[in-house]
Amino acid sequence: MTDALRVVLLGTAAGPYPAPGRQGCANAVVVGGRVYLVDAGYGTLGKYVSAELSLRDLGGVFVTHLHSDHVAELFTLFLLGWGPANQGVVDPVRVYGPGPDPTDPGPPAAGTEGLVAGNLAAFGQDVAVRQRTSDRPRLAGLIHATDLSAAAGAEIVVHEDDRVRVTARAVPHPPLHLALGYRFETEHGVVAFSGDTARSDAVGELAAGADLLVHEAMEPDFYRSIGYSPKLLDFLAASHTSPADVGRVAAAAGARRVALSHLGPCDPARLDDEGWLGRVRPHYSGPVVVGHDLLDLTV
Ligand SMILES: [Zn+2]
C-alpha cells in the first residue's frame, strides 16, 4: 500500500498572527486511514476538512506546547466537529500535551487538561443546548485530555495502539517550561516532529533513522533585516532553529527526508522555497521539502 502512512502538513506558519498563504501549525499523521493530529493552530479544522480527512477517524491529538499558534483550534475541532452529523467525533479521543508549569509563582496557568476543561466551561451554554436537543454524545466524555511531563533527556511513551507507538522528548523552547517533540513509529515507517525548539540533540534522538522529520525553521537573516535587536535575535536563537541547523540535525540523526514547517518568515515573498532549500542543502544531502499548507507527503 503506497498510502499506508501519510503526513499532511495542514498548517505551516510560525507565530500567532494570521498571515496570507499559511495558517497555524497542525500536522496530520494518517496511518491506515486513522488520523493523529500534531498540534491544532488557527485554521486547523478548515484545513482538516479541506484535506478530506474525517473527524470520525481522529485517533488522537498530540500537542507540542501551549503557544496559541499551536492550540488555538484544539477545542474548536470538537466544538464544531462533534456528533454524528458531518462525520463528526462520536468516540472518545485522547488529547496529550504539556501540563501546568510547576515553577509558576502565581496560581499555575492551565496545562492541556485545564485548557480543555476551561473551554468546556466557557462554551457551556452552547454545549448544554446541543446535548439537550440532539442525539450527540456528551462532549466532555469525548475529549480525554492528559497532561504530560518529561524530564530533560528522557524519552516518554505517550500512546500505543494497533497503528502507532508515540514517544516524546522535552525540547528547548524557552521560556515555556515544557515543549515536546514526538516520534511516531508504525509498521509502515517512522515520522518525527521537532515541535518548536532551538537546535537540539533531543530532536536528533526523536528523528534517529526516521523516514521523515518535520522540523520547524526560522531564518535569523530575515529577522535581522527587519531590525530585530541583538537581544531579540539571541532570544530567537535560544528558542527556534535556523534552516542551516535543521540540516545539521537531520544529517546527524540519519533522517531520510526532511520537511520544513512552522516557517518564519511565513510569507513566500520574504523567503521563497529556493531560499529555504539553499540554506538547508549545504548541511544535509537527503531530500528536503518546504512545507506549504495541505502538502500531502506519502512516507
Ligand atoms: Zn512556540
Side-chain angles (χ1 to χ4, degrees), residues 65 67 69-70 173 176 196 240 262:
H65 64 298
H67 271 152
D69 51 324
H70 296 254
H173 189 47
L176 288 181
D196 279 15
H240 293 287
H262 185 277

Side-chain angles (χ1 to χ4, degrees), residues 6-257:
R6 294 159 51 211
V7 173
V8 187
L9 307 181
L10 298 174
T12 57
Y17 191 75
R22 284 192 164 97
Q23 289 189 295
C25 261
N27 307 278
V29 181
V30 187
V31 190
R34 194 177 299 153
V35 183
Y36 302 86
L37 266 185
V38 179
D39 286 333
Y42 61 89
T44 298
L45 183 56
K47 298 287 186 184
Y48 190 100
V49 172
S50 296
E52 300 185 351
L53 300 171
S54 168
L55 285 166
R56 192 67 55 84
D57 299 324
L58 185 58
V61 183
F62 300 81
V63 173
T64 61
H65 64 298
L66 295 175
H67 271 152
S68 57
D69 51 324
H70 296 254
V71 292
E73 287 203 11
L74 173 61
F75 188 74
T76 304
L77 281 178
F78 296 92
L79 183 68
L80 304 184
W82 148 56
N86 303 315
Q87 292 288 303
V89 176
V90 291
D91 295 314
V93 175
R94 304 296 297 256
V95 176
Y96 304 94
D101 181 353
T103 66
D104 197 332
T112 304
E113 293 176 13
L115 183 68
V116 169
N119 272 278
L120 274 167
F123 287 93
Q125 277 201 35
D126 174 83
V127 170
V129 166
R130 291 187 197 279
Q131 284 173 177
R132 278 204 304 274
T133 57
S134 72
D135 57 356
R136 295 167 190 245
R138 259 182 77 252
L139 182 57
L142 296 183
I143 315 171
H144 287 196
T146 301
D147 285 344
L148 302 176
S149 58
E155 179 191 77
I156 58 170
V157 179
V158 177
H159 176 93
E160 279 184 279
D161 63 28
D162 60 331
R163 308 284 171 92
V164 293
R165 179 175 188 269
V166 184
T167 55
R169 287 174 180 270
V171 295
H173 189 47
L176 288 181
H177 80 284
L178 179 60
L180 297 163
Y182 289 101
R183 175 183 174 95
F184 286 71
E185 296 175 355
T186 81
E187 67 172 292
H188 311 290
V190 173
V191 183
F193 295 88
S194 70
D196 279 15
T197 180
R199 177 180 172 176
S200 170
D201 291 342
V203 176
E205 300 278 356
L206 290 164
D211 297 282
L212 175 66
L213 167 62
V214 180
H215 203 303
E216 72 124 270
M218 294 186 81
E219 174 47 59
D221 286 348
F222 166 74
Y223 294 95
R224 199 172 291 117
S225 76
I226 60 169
Y228 268 39
S229 67
K231 189 175 168 188
L232 271 173
L233 289 167
D234 284 349
F235 176 75
L236 202 67
S239 53
H240 293 287
T241 307
S242 70
D245 277 345
V246 173
R248 294 183 181 104
V249 169
R256 294 194 176 87
R257 181 159 56 141

